[in-house]
Structure formats: structure tokens, C-alpha cells
Amino acid sequence: NDLTPEDPALFAAAQTLLRWRGEGSTGWSYAWRIPLWARVHDGEFAYRQVDQLLRRKTLSNLFDLCGPFQIDGNFGVTAAIAEMLIQSTPEEISLLPALPSSWPEGSVRGLRARGGFEVDLAWHKGKLATATIARMSRTCAERLAGFVATVRDLVAGAPVKHMDETGFRIGGKTQWLHVASTALLTFYRVCAKRGGLLAGVVGIVVHDHWKPYYTMQGVVHALCNAHHLRELKALVEIEKEDWARKMQQLLRRACHAANLARERGIPLKPPLIACFERRYDTIVAEGLDFHGAQAPLACAASKSGRKRRGRAPRRTGHNLLSRFAIRKADTLRFLHDPSVPFTNNEAERDGRMMKLRQKISGGFRSMEGAVDFAIIRSFVSTARKQGWNLIDALSSDPENLAKSLRIA
């Protein structure tokens, strides 16, 4: 590690010594010469030594030739080629320090650097294109795994939690990232299937009416009314359905009343809740009457030309009305329980950073990398919500931090 370009005289002396030693010898000698030339950043001479080894000292079965066989050349030259692509000291990692012109493009994964780091890199036209220090993330994730497991249990057992899911590209395939969070905790989980829901959940789950959430046992549901307002807006502006405008107004007024009561620390008065519910029922009935009077939609024929089986198709507004009718208690739960929010924005916000990460990088190369990222991001998001200094938190004992978590 003392031989660096920062000491030009010593660097030049090492190059002169290597030239005196000449070239051409046994396989194990090539395995010594190549990394030494790589260390003095002469990729062209190092490559010439690699070429000579393969041409003169390698059998057709790729065994190194020295007498009958010598494994030193095989093992050593593999390490020597790695030395041409990456060099490291305890203080720094140097990428492509001795890249020859004969290798204008390429990529390599899993090279090890001092400090236990694992490096992936790619180059184009002789220049570094991308590089990832993988082991740094893995080491951090392993260290934080116990903390995140505690967060997972706390979120699952919280009285009210928010849940959402989004597509995640991993290894060129669509996988799923599930978010479960509260105002003070965030837990991310990567799953191959969208329907792989978090186990052991109790209490109230706020979500966007994705049907698999209704398969969860032992929980109470609350629906995101921000989603409802967006759907109603489309019905008002595009389909011109008047009941949708009335439902918009009702939900907004109910939200305003619930927010005022929450700010004052008092529950909504039962007569006011009953008034909202009566108006809700009236609007739903009006909407169902409207759609009942519409001409039925034509059934699309199957590829074979036969009539499709199953329920007759319904308009978008009719489907939303059916949800309002069937899931009335879940839609209006925020009126009865001050701890239940009007929207699922908590989970939506927590998922936004993960989508941004995907837009920047395009996805993950492996499931292991995605899982590591989810663990680290769970810690970072939770630390931010807890009001911790992130640098101090990352350098602290995760076990002690887990004991100090606030849940309310």
C-alpha cells in the first residue's frame, strides 16, 4: 500500500525494477508479474503478460502448464486480473486502475475489496460507467435486521396502521414492495407475490380497498377516502353524474368536522354522525336508482365468440356505489374513531421514496439487494419519524435504539 503515484520517485523505481526482471517464465511467475504491473498502473504491459500466459502456458483444458500441471498460475492469474480492475487499501478503493485498451467494454460482479466490501462495476469505451459497493449495504442491513424485526412487530400490533403496496423491478421481473406504517414507525417488505400480506396483524388497517386486504383475519378495515375523492372527481368531470358531486361534498364536510373535533380533543357528537350517515345513505340510493335506469352494458364476446360467463358488466360509477353500499362502515370509520384518519396518505408517502429510488436506478439486480434496501430504508424512515439524528442513529447500537422506540 506504500507504492502509490503520490510518491513519484518510488513509483518510477518500481517500474524500472519490473522492466529489469523482464517477462516470460512459469505460470506462477506470471501470476506475480501481472498484479505488480497492475499496481504500477501499466494495464498494457499487464495485459501482455496475461496474453502470453494464455498462449504459452495454458493447456487446452485451461490448466496452467509447468511440467505436467501447476495450479498456482490458475489461481494467481485470476486474482491478478481482478487487481487490474480494482485495487484497495483500508482507506480507499480504486476502480479500473490498470484497464488495458484491449478491454474497452465489460462488466464484473462480486469483486472483493479490503474492509469486506463487495464491488460490482461496468465500463464503456474504457471509462467507468457504473459501480456499486454491495457489501456496504449488506453489512448495514445485517446489523439493522433485529431493529427492523422489532419495528415490524410494533406496526403489526399497533391499534391503527396504514398498508399499501407497489410494483418493484427485481432481476428484470416485477416483484412487490409492501408498506406497513404508523405515524412513528415504517416497515418495508419485499415479496414475490402482490398478495403476500403481513402476518400477525391486529387492530385497524387503513388501505385503498385492494380486495386481498379483506382476507386478513382478526382486523377491522378503514378505507382511504382520498382515493374515493379522486374516483368521484372523475365521475363528476367525465361522466357528469350528479350523485358523485353530492358524495364529494359530503365526504369533505365530514372530514372537516372530524378534523375540528380531533383538534379540540373531543369526539363527534352522535347526532351529527347520524346526520352524515343519513345523507350518505340517501346519496347512495340516488346513485343506485340512476344506474338502475341506465341501459345495461353489452357483454363483450369471448375469443371463441361465446357469451362470457359471470356477472354482467357495470359502469365505473355503479361499481363505486356498490363499494359505498357494502363498505359503508369502513368508509365512514373516521367519524366514529378519532384515531382513524380520513386518508391512507401515511402509507402513500412512505412508498413514494421507494418509487423515486426505482425511477433513478431502474430496479434491483437481485432479491438480496432489494431486501437489504428495504431493511435500511425501514430504519431510515423510522428514525426520521422518531426525530433522531440520522448519523447518530446509524452509529448507535440498534438494540438500544429498538428499546427506545416511541409508538404513540
Side-chain angles (χ1 to χ4, degrees):
N1 296 336
D2 295 332
L3 184 62
T4 67
E6 296 175 3
D7 189 341
L10 184 60
F11 207 65
Q15 290 175 317
T16 300
L17 180 60
L18 287 174
R19 292 193 187 94
W20 284 350
R21 292 191 63 177
E23 50 185 306
S25 186
T26 58
W28 66 265
S29 182
Y30 277 110
W32 274 105
R33 281 189 174 91
I34 296 168
L36 290 173
W37 280 105
R39 274 288 174 168
V40 296
H41 297 183
D42 193 330
E44 300 305 323
F45 201 93
Y47 173 77
R48 192 163 79 185
Q49 298 288 287
V50 173
D51 184 66
Q52 290 179 9
L53 173 69
L54 294 175
R55 291 177 183 275
R56 301 177 184 177
K57 296 293 183 179
T58 304
L59 299 173
S60 58
N61 63 1
L62 297 183
F63 281 178
D64 178 58
L65 178 62
C66 183
F69 169 60
Q70 185 184 63
I71 197 64
D72 305 49
N74 290 100
F75 290 160
V77 171
T78 302
I81 292 174
E83 194 76 11
M84 297 168 67
L85 301 176
I86 178 175
Q87 296 174 15
S88 62
T89 70
E91 291 78 28
E92 64 180 27
I93 297 175
S94 177
L95 304 179
L96 305 180
L99 184 70
S101 58
S102 300
W103 297 343
E105 298 183 22
S107 63
V108 64
R109 294 179 60 184
L111 291 180
R112 301 304 295 268
R114 287 172 175 82
F117 299 117
E118 185 175 312
V119 180
D120 302 343
L121 56 90
W123 62 94
H124 178 69
K125 294 183 179 180
K127 301 291 185 180
L128 183 66
T130 62
T132 303
I133 302 178
R135 186 63 198 175
M136 180 180 292
S137 297
R138 196 154 305 147
T139 300
C140 184
E142 290 171 355
R143 181 170 171 268
L144 298 176
F147 174 93
V148 174
T150 300
V151 171
R152 177 238 176 270
D153 293 341
L154 291 174
V155 172
V160 178
K161 75 277 301 167
H162 299 255
M163 301 184 77
D164 198 13
E165 75 293 328
T166 185
F168 230 33
R169 296 292 290 176
I170 303 174
K173 297 180 180 180
T174 298
Q175 311 280 352
W176 294 93
L177 176 78
H178 291 266
V179 183
S181 63
T182 69
L184 292 171
L185 305 166
T186 307
F187 175 68
Y188 297 102
R189 185 173 57 93
V190 178
C191 189
K193 296 182 178 180
R194 188 182 183 188
L197 300 176
L198 186 65
V201 177
V202 297
I204 299 173
V205 176
V206 185
H207 57 83
D208 58 4
H209 191 257
W210 184 48
K211 289 184 178 179
Y213 287 126
Y214 279 100
T215 65
M216 302 176 72
Q217 301 296 316
V219 302
V220 177
H221 301 272
L223 295 181
C224 175
N225 285 297
H227 279 76
H228 288 155
L229 289 176
R230 286 195 291 268
E231 293 178 73
L232 290 167
K233 181 180 180 182
L235 291 173
V236 170
E237 296 179 354
I238 300 172
E239 303 296 337
K240 311 301 181 184
E241 297 187 16
D242 192 53
W243 73 266
R245 178 186 58 80
K246 295 175 182 177
M247 184 62 82
Q248 264 188 325
Q249 292 177 346
L250 174 70
L251 290 177
R252 286 172 176 159
R253 289 171 180 170
C255 176
H256 181 65
N259 288 340
L260 287 177
R262 191 178 295 112
E263 290 172 3
R264 296 170 183 172
I266 58 175
L268 279 176
K269 295 180 179 180
L272 181 57
I273 295 176
C275 180
F276 280 128
E277 290 184 333
R278 285 195 300 272
R279 181 60 177 156
Y280 180 96
D281 293 338
T282 300
I283 295 171
V284 170
E286 179 184 326
L288 290 173
D289 288 342
F290 169 78
H291 280 277
Q294 302 297 307
L297 295 175
C299 295
S302 63
K303 291 182 179 179
S304 62
R306 297 178 181 178
K307 184 178 179 180
R308 292 183 180 271
R309 295 181 178 179
R311 189 190 70 187
R314 296 191 303 198
R315 292 175 173 82
T316 302
H318 197 173
N319 288 329
L320 182 57
L321 280 163
S322 296
R323 184 195 309 168
F324 282 144
I326 296 170
R327 305 295 183 187
K328 173 185 173 181
D330 299 343
T331 303
L332 300 180
R333 196 168 303 282
F334 69 95
L335 291 175
H336 297 269
D337 188 340
S339 67
V340 176
F342 182 75
T343 73
N344 193 32
N345 286 351
E346 188 70 45
E348 296 273 350
R349 284 192 296 267
D350 288 330
R352 202 166 294 147
M353 180 61 193
M354 308 301 265
K355 297 297 289 184
L356 177 62
R357 189 324 183 160
Q358 186 167 245
K359 286 182 179 180
I360 293 172
S361 67
F364 294 87
R365 287 190 293 270
S366 68
M367 177 63 80
E368 292 78 9
V371 170
D372 290 345
F373 182 74
I375 291 173
I376 295 170
R377 186 62 200 172
S378 295
F379 177 87
V380 171
S381 179
T382 298
R384 178 183 59 80
K385 291 180 178 181
Q386 295 284 325
W388 298 339
N389 179 283
L390 188 56
I391 301 301
D392 291 342
L394 286 169
S395 58
S396 300
D397 183 0
E399 186 175 344
N400 291 335
L401 290 176
K403 295 176 182 178
S404 66
L405 283 169
R406 292 179 294 119
I407 60 175

